PDB file of all heavy atoms in Angstrom:
ATOM      1  N   GLN A 805     111.726 117.319  85.147  1.00 97.00           N
ATOM      2  CA  GLN A 805     111.494 118.249  84.031  1.00 97.00           C
ATOM      3  C   GLN A 805     111.089 119.609  84.578  1.00 97.00           C
ATOM      4  O   GLN A 805     110.160 119.723  85.377  1.00 97.00           O
ATOM      5  CB  GLN A 805     110.396 117.722  83.124  1.00 97.00           C
ATOM      6  CG  GLN A 805     110.099 118.631  81.962  1.00 97.00           C
ATOM      7  CD  GLN A 805     108.979 118.094  81.079  1.00 97.00           C
ATOM      8  OE1 GLN A 805     108.470 117.005  81.277  1.00 97.00           O
ATOM      9  NE2 GLN A 805     108.592 118.879  80.096  1.00 97.00           N
ATOM     10  N   ASP A 806     111.787 120.643  84.144  1.00 98.00           N
ATOM     11  CA  ASP A 806     111.511 122.010  84.604  1.00 98.00           C
ATOM     12  C   ASP A 806     110.182 122.488  84.026  1.00 98.00           C
ATOM     13  O   ASP A 806     109.987 122.484  82.809  1.00 98.00           O
ATOM     14  CB  ASP A 806     112.649 122.929  84.166  1.00 98.00           C
ATOM     15  CG  ASP A 806     112.622 124.277  84.853  1.00 98.00           C
ATOM     16  OD1 ASP A 806     111.700 124.533  85.648  1.00 98.00           O
ATOM     17  OD2 ASP A 806     113.526 125.075  84.596  1.00 98.00           O
ATOM     18  N   LEU A 807     109.265 122.897  84.902  1.00 98.00           N
ATOM     19  CA  LEU A 807     107.963 123.400  84.462  1.00 98.00           C
ATOM     20  C   LEU A 807     107.880 124.917  84.469  1.00 98.00           C
ATOM     21  O   LEU A 807     106.980 125.479  83.850  1.00 98.00           O
ATOM     22  CB  LEU A 807     106.853 122.842  85.364  1.00 98.00           C
ATOM     23  CG  LEU A 807     106.698 121.326  85.399  1.00 98.00           C
ATOM     24  CD1 LEU A 807     105.544 120.949  86.313  1.00 98.00           C
ATOM     25  CD2 LEU A 807     106.499 120.757  84.006  1.00 98.00           C
ATOM     26  N   GLY A 808     108.784 125.588  85.183  1.00 97.00           N
ATOM     27  CA  GLY A 808     108.765 127.041  85.230  1.00 97.00           C
ATOM     28  C   GLY A 808     108.971 127.557  86.638  1.00 97.00           C
ATOM     29  O   GLY A 808     109.266 126.800  87.560  1.00 97.00           O
ATOM     30  N   ARG A 809     108.830 128.867  86.790  1.00 97.00           N
ATOM     31  CA  ARG A 809     108.980 129.521  88.098  1.00 97.00           C
ATOM     32  C   ARG A 809     107.618 129.962  88.602  1.00 97.00           C
ATOM     33  O   ARG A 809     106.888 130.654  87.907  1.00 97.00           O
ATOM     34  CB  ARG A 809     109.899 130.729  88.002  1.00 97.00           C
ATOM     35  CG  ARG A 809     111.324 130.328  87.748  1.00 97.00           C
ATOM     36  CD  ARG A 809     112.271 131.426  88.180  1.00 97.00           C
ATOM     37  NE  ARG A 809     113.623 131.061  87.868  1.00 97.00           N
ATOM     38  CZ  ARG A 809     114.421 130.417  88.696  1.00 97.00           C
ATOM     39  NH1 ARG A 809     113.995 130.100  89.893  1.00 97.00           N
ATOM     40  NH2 ARG A 809     115.647 130.106  88.354  1.00 97.00           N
ATOM     41  N   ALA A 810     107.335 129.562  89.815  1.00 97.00           N
ATOM     42  CA  ALA A 810     106.053 129.891  90.429  1.00 97.00           C
ATOM     43  C   ALA A 810     106.235 130.992  91.461  1.00 97.00           C
ATOM     44  O   ALA A 810     107.267 131.062  92.133  1.00 97.00           O
ATOM     45  CB  ALA A 810     105.472 128.647  91.097  1.00 97.00           C
ATOM     46  N   ARG A 811     105.226 131.811  91.600  1.00 96.00           N
ATOM     47  CA  ARG A 811     105.218 132.866  92.615  1.00 96.00           C
ATOM     48  C   ARG A 811     104.165 132.609  93.687  1.00 96.00           C
ATOM     49  O   ARG A 811     104.049 133.354  94.639  1.00 96.00           O
ATOM     50  CB  ARG A 811     104.960 134.219  91.966  1.00 96.00           C
ATOM     51  CG  ARG A 811     106.104 134.657  91.077  1.00 96.00           C
ATOM     52  CD  ARG A 811     105.836 136.059  90.540  1.00 96.00           C
ATOM     53  NE  ARG A 811     106.887 136.483  89.660  1.00 96.00           N
ATOM     54  CZ  ARG A 811     107.957 137.169  90.049  1.00 96.00           C
ATOM     55  NH1 ARG A 811     108.113 137.487  91.304  1.00 96.00           N
ATOM     56  NH2 ARG A 811     108.860 137.521  89.172  1.00 96.00           N
ATOM     57  N   ARG A 812     103.367 131.529  93.488  1.00 97.00           N
ATOM     58  CA  ARG A 812     102.326 131.164  94.449  1.00 97.00           C
ATOM     59  C   ARG A 812     101.867 129.745  94.120  1.00 97.00           C
ATOM     60  O   ARG A 812     102.190 129.209  93.061  1.00 97.00           O
ATOM     61  CB  ARG A 812     101.161 132.139  94.390  1.00 97.00           C
ATOM     62  CG  ARG A 812     100.554 132.274  93.021  1.00 97.00           C
ATOM     63  CD  ARG A 812      99.539 133.413  92.931  1.00 97.00           C
ATOM     64  NE  ARG A 812      98.987 133.461  91.603  1.00 97.00           N
ATOM     65  CZ  ARG A 812      97.908 132.797  91.208  1.00 97.00           C
ATOM     66  NH1 ARG A 812      97.262 132.025  92.055  1.00 97.00           N
ATOM     67  NH2 ARG A 812      97.472 132.899  89.982  1.00 97.00           N
ATOM     68  N   THR A 813     101.075 129.156  95.008  1.00 96.00           N
ATOM     69  CA  THR A 813     100.607 127.788  94.784  1.00 96.00           C
ATOM     70  C   THR A 813      99.730 127.680  93.539  1.00 96.00           C
ATOM     71  O   THR A 813      99.737 126.647  92.871  1.00 96.00           O
ATOM     72  CB  THR A 813      99.847 127.244  96.013  1.00 96.00           C
ATOM     73  OG1 THR A 813      98.785 128.136  96.343  1.00 96.00           O
ATOM     74  CG2 THR A 813     100.769 127.045  97.190  1.00 96.00           C
ATOM     75  N   GLY A 814      99.006 128.734  93.215  1.00 96.00           N
ATOM     76  CA  GLY A 814      98.188 128.712  91.998  1.00 96.00           C
ATOM     77  C   GLY A 814      99.016 128.494  90.748  1.00 96.00           C
ATOM     78  O   GLY A 814      98.581 127.816  89.808  1.00 96.00           O
ATOM     79  N   ASP A 815     100.223 129.065  90.722  1.00 97.00           N
ATOM     80  CA  ASP A 815     101.128 128.853  89.589  1.00 97.00           C
ATOM     81  C   ASP A 815     101.569 127.397  89.531  1.00 97.00           C
ATOM     82  O   ASP A 815     101.627 126.798  88.451  1.00 97.00           O
ATOM     83  CB  ASP A 815     102.362 129.745  89.708  1.00 97.00           C
ATOM     84  CG  ASP A 815     102.058 131.223  89.623  1.00 97.00           C
ATOM     85  OD1 ASP A 815     100.994 131.596  89.085  1.00 97.00           O
ATOM     86  OD2 ASP A 815     102.893 132.016  90.113  1.00 97.00           O
ATOM     87  N   VAL A 816     101.894 126.820  90.685  1.00 97.00           N
ATOM     88  CA  VAL A 816     102.314 125.411  90.740  1.00 97.00           C
ATOM     89  C   VAL A 816     101.191 124.536  90.183  1.00 97.00           C
ATOM     90  O   VAL A 816     101.422 123.664  89.344  1.00 97.00           O
ATOM     91  CB  VAL A 816     102.685 124.979  92.179  1.00 97.00           C
ATOM     92  CG1 VAL A 816     103.029 123.501  92.224  1.00 97.00           C
ATOM     93  CG2 VAL A 816     103.835 125.818  92.725  1.00 97.00           C
ATOM     94  N   ALA A 817      99.968 124.776  90.631  1.00 96.00           N
ATOM     95  CA  ALA A 817      98.822 124.001  90.157  1.00 96.00           C
ATOM     96  C   ALA A 817      98.654 124.132  88.644  1.00 96.00           C
ATOM     97  O   ALA A 817      98.414 123.140  87.945  1.00 96.00           O
ATOM     98  CB  ALA A 817      97.554 124.447  90.879  1.00 96.00           C
ATOM     99  N   ALA A 818      98.784 125.345  88.118  1.00 96.00           N
ATOM    100  CA  ALA A 818      98.632 125.570  86.681  1.00 96.00           C
ATOM    101  C   ALA A 818      99.709 124.831  85.894  1.00 96.00           C
ATOM    102  O   ALA A 818      99.413 124.194  84.872  1.00 96.00           O
ATOM    103  CB  ALA A 818      98.674 127.064  86.369  1.00 96.00           C
ATOM    104  N   PHE A 819     100.958 124.884  86.366  1.00 97.00           N
ATOM    105  CA  PHE A 819     102.051 124.163  85.695  1.00 97.00           C
ATOM    106  C   PHE A 819     101.755 122.669  85.652  1.00 97.00           C
ATOM    107  O   PHE A 819     101.932 122.008  84.628  1.00 97.00           O
ATOM    108  CB  PHE A 819     103.382 124.365  86.419  1.00 97.00           C
ATOM    109  CG  PHE A 819     103.928 125.766  86.387  1.00 97.00           C
ATOM    110  CD1 PHE A 819     104.848 126.164  87.344  1.00 97.00           C
ATOM    111  CD2 PHE A 819     103.550 126.684  85.426  1.00 97.00           C
ATOM    112  CE1 PHE A 819     105.378 127.436  87.342  1.00 97.00           C
ATOM    113  CE2 PHE A 819     104.080 127.971  85.417  1.00 97.00           C
ATOM    114  CZ  PHE A 819     104.997 128.344  86.373  1.00 97.00           C
ATOM    115  N   LEU A 820     101.321 122.116  86.786  1.00 97.00           N
ATOM    116  CA  LEU A 820     101.078 120.683  86.870  1.00 97.00           C
ATOM    117  C   LEU A 820      99.912 120.256  85.986  1.00 97.00           C
ATOM    118  O   LEU A 820      99.982 119.215  85.324  1.00 97.00           O
ATOM    119  CB  LEU A 820     100.836 120.276  88.320  1.00 97.00           C
ATOM    120  CG  LEU A 820     102.054 120.440  89.239  1.00 97.00           C
ATOM    121  CD1 LEU A 820     101.667 120.157  90.675  1.00 97.00           C
ATOM    122  CD2 LEU A 820     103.192 119.534  88.788  1.00 97.00           C
ATOM    123  N   ARG A 821      98.871 121.048  85.951  1.00 95.00           N
ATOM    124  CA  ARG A 821      97.734 120.706  85.087  1.00 95.00           C
ATOM    125  C   ARG A 821      98.126 120.736  83.613  1.00 95.00           C
ATOM    126  O   ARG A 821      97.746 119.857  82.842  1.00 95.00           O
ATOM    127  CB  ARG A 821      96.563 121.640  85.362  1.00 95.00           C
ATOM    128  CG  ARG A 821      95.903 121.331  86.684  1.00 95.00           C
ATOM    129  CD  ARG A 821      94.607 122.107  86.889  1.00 95.00           C
ATOM    130  NE  ARG A 821      94.023 121.752  88.159  1.00 95.00           N
ATOM    131  CZ  ARG A 821      94.055 122.497  89.264  1.00 95.00           C
ATOM    132  NH1 ARG A 821      94.639 123.683  89.230  1.00 95.00           N
ATOM    133  NH2 ARG A 821      93.503 122.079  90.373  1.00 95.00           N
ATOM    134  N   ARG A 822      98.918 121.741  83.223  1.00 96.00           N
ATOM    135  CA  ARG A 822      99.384 121.808  81.824  1.00 96.00           C
ATOM    136  C   ARG A 822     100.263 120.614  81.483  1.00 96.00           C
ATOM    137  O   ARG A 822     100.274 120.156  80.347  1.00 96.00           O
ATOM    138  CB  ARG A 822     100.148 123.100  81.572  1.00 96.00           C
ATOM    139  CG  ARG A 822      99.243 124.279  81.297  1.00 96.00           C
ATOM    140  CD  ARG A 822     100.011 125.449  80.709  1.00 96.00           C
ATOM    141  NE  ARG A 822     100.982 125.986  81.630  1.00 96.00           N
ATOM    142  CZ  ARG A 822     100.807 127.065  82.388  1.00 96.00           C
ATOM    143  NH1 ARG A 822      99.692 127.748  82.308  1.00 96.00           N
ATOM    144  NH2 ARG A 822     101.746 127.470  83.207  1.00 96.00           N
TER     145      ARG A 822
END
Side-chain angles (χ1 to χ4, degrees):
Q805 180 181 356
D806 193 358
L807 299 181
R809 291 202 183 269
R811 293 184 182 268
R812 56 189 181 90
T813 55
D815 295 339
V816 176
F819 293 159
L820 294 174
R821 287 189 179 104
R822 278 195 295 261

